[in-house]
Amino acid sequence: MAAPEFSVSALVFTLLICSSAGYPDGKVAMSCGGMTPQHGHSPQSKPVHQITMSQMKFKPGEQIQVTLSGPQFRGFLLEAHDAEDLSGPPVGSFTLIDREASQLLTCEDVQGFAVSHTTSSKKTEIKVYWNAPSSAPNHIQFLATVVEKYNIYWVKIPSHVISQPNAPPFTTPKPTAQPLTTSPSVSQLTKPFSASECGNKKFCVRSPLNCDPESEPACAFLSFTRDDQSVMIEMSGPSEGYLSFAFSHDQWMGDDDAYLCIREDQTVYIRPSYLTGRSYPVMDSTRGTLKDMAWRLVDGVIQCSFRRNITLPGVKKRFVLNESYYIFLAEGPAHDGRIFRHPQQPLITYEKYDVTGTPKNVGGSHSSPLLKAHGALMFVAWMTTVSIGVLVARFFRSVWSKAFFLGEAAWFQVHRMLMLATSVLTCIAFVMPFVYRGGWSRRAGYHPYLGCTVLTLAVLQPLLATFRPSLHDPRRQVFNWTHWSVGTAARIIAVAAVFLGMDLPGLNLPSPQKTYVMMGFVVWHIGTEVLLEIHAYRLSRKVEILDDDRIQILQSLTVAEAEGHVFKKAVLVIYICGNVIFLMIFLSAINQV
């Protein structure tokens, strides 16, 4: 459920996990209140770790050593609370003993209210000092959340109660662990989904369009079937980790209603979630949101289904289903129930749809039309117009030397027209990603930096050409070298930018075919230049070894040049045809994503 970027480079961009296990650096201040990781799994019921204190009595201002120990764990969160009001804010502050294993957190805008891990390395014991405040309550109880791995954790493990010396006996213990709610029933599907009712009874989103998950394992399939006040949802696709879809008000990731089917070993967990931005989805622990859940795993294909009411009064972040939304469909890797960023941009429908309305059969795209246009124009500019223009200027001066428009040689007019076209196409294409992104993309690697360099050189080149000295001017040689250097640099950097841009998930071109085709084009162009260079050298040698008689030389030169012109024209025609083939391959690939 990500907006296209991409990428792709894609999908770039490791996910933030809203938990102590998902944050290997332990920056989990957002969990101070409930002390519950947002993992979408139920906490373990019986604690296996314990909290011990150096003394059971304390006075305001005293410092007490607190030890959290037990089987190996990776993350933790430790707080002290008023034993008579465990839902209240943390009490006192902590002092670290081992700064490499633990760190202080700011909770309730107070530094040191809680302690957490610093790394995700395995540990069996953590020791800290708790500083009793001057206004400490009579009874204190320490609570700890401990994470063994993403889907195995304990919430609010309690310690024994410590008390002030003259405090009345503590006789009203409060429950410290969150009650475990029975998980909704989940069954296993007995057969794959079918697309036979798409457009008739089911609203379907499919990729490729019109594929059938019943007979095509590679089919990415999502269907919605309305039944009175609820909708039955089916999702299927190849994935070793998870499948997901989301409803969105726009084609950007953020503020979206999402649903995930996450594979863990030989089980699939179905979780509603909410996307707050281009980060890890916030799992919804609200029970009763989904009903009639079922799943199936076979041959690397995940299939899951569930029912959701059209409206969910009182449930936050869940959209009303009888309105129109863009629909995202994605898949990605998962490990131990923890999901990671999808490797390619999600499929996004071309327009908004009401899935409870008239059943339809729709498709989508993994790339934005603006990004497609950007790629297409850049391919046309730097694979066609500029390459042909370079060959014309380098090898066709003698072929088209006659004056043409405004008294300029024909070769020069063709060269200038192609180079100006390159500059114009580059400028137009350059603007499109910024319009799409609404600014600079920090997840596109070096591609945008190279693109800015190419644009600068593409604009600079025709400006330099306006100051071209006359043919016999002493500065003409300097201009020629400068003009050649700037143009060559622009072409080399443009090729590098194209290679990097093809790998971005925002364009989502098929891999590794895209790399092979681009490499083929580079070899094709270099091979053509080498062939024409060899031909020019052989032609010059042929003229040099002719008889010394002037008339014979001139006659032979004319004949040799005529033969050379025919060869060059033939090579140019073949080269242009080859370029068109490469261009059509790329444009066809762009059109299919």
Side-chain angles (χ1 to χ4, degrees):
M1 283 68 47
E5 171 173 19
F6 274 99
S7 99
V8 167
S9 99
L11 228 113
V12 228
F13 173 18
T14 56
L15 293 175
L16 300 176
I17 310 299
C18 299
S19 70
S20 56
Y23 283 103
D25 59 2
K27 305 293 187 182
V28 291
M30 74 290 294
S31 297
C32 287
M35 300 186 71
T36 303
Q38 301 294 322
H39 290 196
H41 295 269
S42 298
Q44 304 298 304
S45 58
K46 295 182 179 180
V48 295
H49 302 81
Q50 56 277 340
I51 305 171
T52 57
M53 291 72 65
S54 59
Q55 58 193 62
M56 301 304 293
K57 297 290 183 179
F58 73 93
K59 295 179 181 179
E62 278 192 327
Q63 194 173 69
I64 298 174
Q65 181 173 299
V66 182
T67 303
L68 171 64
S69 60
Q72 288 185 339
F73 57 94
R74 295 183 179 274
F76 73 93
L77 179 63
L78 178 65
E79 299 178 6
H81 286 261
D82 182 348
E84 296 179 347
D85 183 17
L86 293 177
S87 61
V91 176
S93 64
F94 289 91
T95 300
L96 302 178
I97 294 178
D98 183 358
R99 294 183 177 274
E100 293 186 0
S102 57
Q103 65 180 323
L104 301 178
L105 295 181
T106 299
C107 301
E108 304 287 338
D109 296 325
V110 178
Q111 170 70 12
F113 255 11
V115 183
S116 72
H117 56 284
T118 57
T119 69
S120 60
S121 61
K122 294 181 180 179
K123 51 190 75 73
T124 59
E125 185 180 78
I126 292 294
K127 292 184 177 182
V128 294
Y129 290 118
W130 177 68
N131 308 304
S134 58
S135 57
N138 289 327
H139 307 284
I140 293 293
Q141 190 169 40
F142 296 95
L143 303 177
T145 291
V146 178
V147 179
E148 179 181 314
K149 59 181 182 180
Y150 185 78
N151 61 329
I152 300 179
Y153 57 88
W154 295 262
V155 175
K156 292 187 176 180
I157 300 172
S159 71
H160 292 294
V161 175
I162 62 173
S163 306
Q164 295 197 43
N166 300 322
F170 180 69
T171 57
T172 55
K174 303 292 182 179
T176 58
Q178 292 183 339
L180 297 179
T181 305
T182 303
S183 298
S185 59
V186 180
S187 62
Q188 287 197 342
L189 297 166
T190 58
K191 60 180 181 179
F193 301 135
S194 173
S196 60
E197 296 182 333
C198 288
N200 183 17
K201 294 183 179 180
K202 296 180 178 180
F203 183 101
C204 296
V205 181
R206 293 187 276 176
S207 179
L209 188 63
N210 297 324
C211 66
D212 191 342
E214 190 172 22
S215 57
E216 302 174 57
C219 178
F221 175 81
L222 178 65
S223 74
F224 304 87
T225 306
R226 179 167 182 171
D227 181 13
D228 194 20
Q229 296 303 310
S230 66
V231 175
M232 190 66 188
I233 300 170
E234 300 173 332
M235 182 163 51
S236 173
S239 176
E240 294 299 324
Y242 69 90
L243 294 178
S244 63
F245 79 91
F247 297 111
S248 180
H249 295 289
D250 52 36
Q251 293 183 307
W252 284 98
M253 182 177 180
D255 298 327
D256 305 326
D257 184 2
Y259 302 84
L260 299 96
C261 297
I262 307 170
R263 177 176 180 173
E264 184 179 350
D265 296 327
Q266 295 303 310
T267 303
V268 175
Y269 294 94
I270 303 172
R271 306 293 186 207
S273 64
Y274 185 74
L275 303 178
T276 58
R278 298 182 65 188
S279 60
Y280 190 86
V282 178
M283 300 296 179
D284 185 357
S285 58
T286 304
R287 301 296 180 180
T289 302
L290 308 181
K291 302 176 182 178
D292 300 335
M293 294 187 287
W295 59 271
R296 181 173 183 261
L297 279 176
V298 58
D299 298 330
V301 175
I302 297 177
Q303 294 190 324
C304 60
S305 64
F306 55 89
R307 183 179 302 278
R308 214 215 84 170
N309 288 342
I310 294 177
T311 60
L312 292 170
V315 181
K316 296 181 179 180
K317 308 299 186 181
R318 300 273 77 88
F319 291 3
V320 176
L321 297 187
N322 56 1
E323 296 181 2
S324 296
Y325 308 101
Y326 288 103
I327 303 172
F328 291 27
L329 182 60
E331 65 86 19
H335 179 68
D336 287 335
R338 172 183 174 183
I339 71 171
F340 297 86
R341 178 178 179 265
H342 36 79
Q344 67 172 353
Q345 293 290 358
L347 183 80
I348 305 176
T349 55
Y350 296 109
E351 57 185 277
K352 292 182 177 181
Y353 294 101
D354 176 2
V355 298
T356 65
T358 304
K360 295 181 180 179
N361 185 35
V362 304
S365 173
H366 289 278
S367 182
S368 161
L370 280 174
L371 293 184
K372 289 182 179 181
H374 168 77
L377 291 178
M378 286 300 190
F379 281 134
V380 171
W382 296 98
M383 290 179 60
T384 306
T385 57
V386 75
S387 56
I388 296 174
V390 167
L391 291 184
V392 168
R394 177 70 182 85
F395 299 103
F396 285 79
R397 293 171 184 253
S398 61
V399 179
W400 295 325
S401 58
K402 293 183 179 180
F404 189 55
F405 183 66
L406 296 178
E408 299 282 1
W411 72 266
F412 179 77
Q413 296 288 0
V414 172
H415 171 74
R416 181 167 57 185
M417 177 187 66
L418 291 173
M419 292 310 185
L420 286 175
T422 299
S423 298
V424 171
L425 291 174
T426 300
C427 292
I428 296 173
F430 180 83
V431 174
M432 292 180 174
F434 290 93
V435 174
Y436 170 69
R437 295 291 182 193
W440 185 269
S441 174
R442 298 182 179 181
R443 302 183 183 274
Y446 292 106
H447 177 74
Y449 297 97
L450 295 181
C452 289
T453 304
V454 169
L455 176 70
T456 301
L457 296 177
V459 173
L460 180 63
Q461 189 74 325
L463 293 178
L464 289 174
T466 60
F467 298 99
R468 181 182 59 165
S470 60
L471 183 60
H472 301 292
D473 192 292
R475 296 169 298 174
R476 181 59 178 260
Q477 193 70 8
V478 176
F479 167 81
N480 289 342
W481 278 105
T482 302
H483 189 65
W484 177 86
S485 299
V486 172
T488 302
R491 292 167 60 202
I492 292 174
I493 298 173
V495 169
V498 169
F499 270 108
L500 293 177
M502 292 190 306
D503 286 333
L504 292 177
L507 198 54
N508 199 48
L509 291 177
S511 182
Q513 295 89 337
K514 59 188 178 184
T515 303
Y516 295 151
V517 174
M518 190 62 193
M519 290 174 62
F521 164 74
V522 172
V523 172
W524 171 255
H525 179 80
I526 294 177
T528 302
E529 285 207 34
V530 170
L531 179 63
L532 290 174
E533 287 285 1
I534 293 174
H535 174 264
Y537 174 76
R538 289 175 61 85
L539 184 62
S540 64
R541 291 291 297 162
K542 182 177 181 180
V543 173
E544 288 178 2
I545 63 176
L546 292 177
D547 189 87
D548 290 338
D549 183 83
R550 178 175 177 80
I551 297 177
Q552 179 65 29
I553 292 176
L554 292 177
Q555 290 176 342
S556 300
L557 179 61
T558 302
V559 173
E561 286 185 343
E563 293 175 354
H565 293 174
V566 173
F567 178 81
K568 288 180 180 179
K569 291 177 181 178
V571 170
L572 183 63
V573 170
I574 296 173
Y575 176 77
I576 292 176
C577 291
N579 272 34
V580 171
I581 292 174
F582 280 110
L583 185 61
M584 293 304 295
I585 292 174
F586 275 112
L587 294 182
S588 176
I590 291 175
N591 185 57
Q592 292 176 5
V593 298

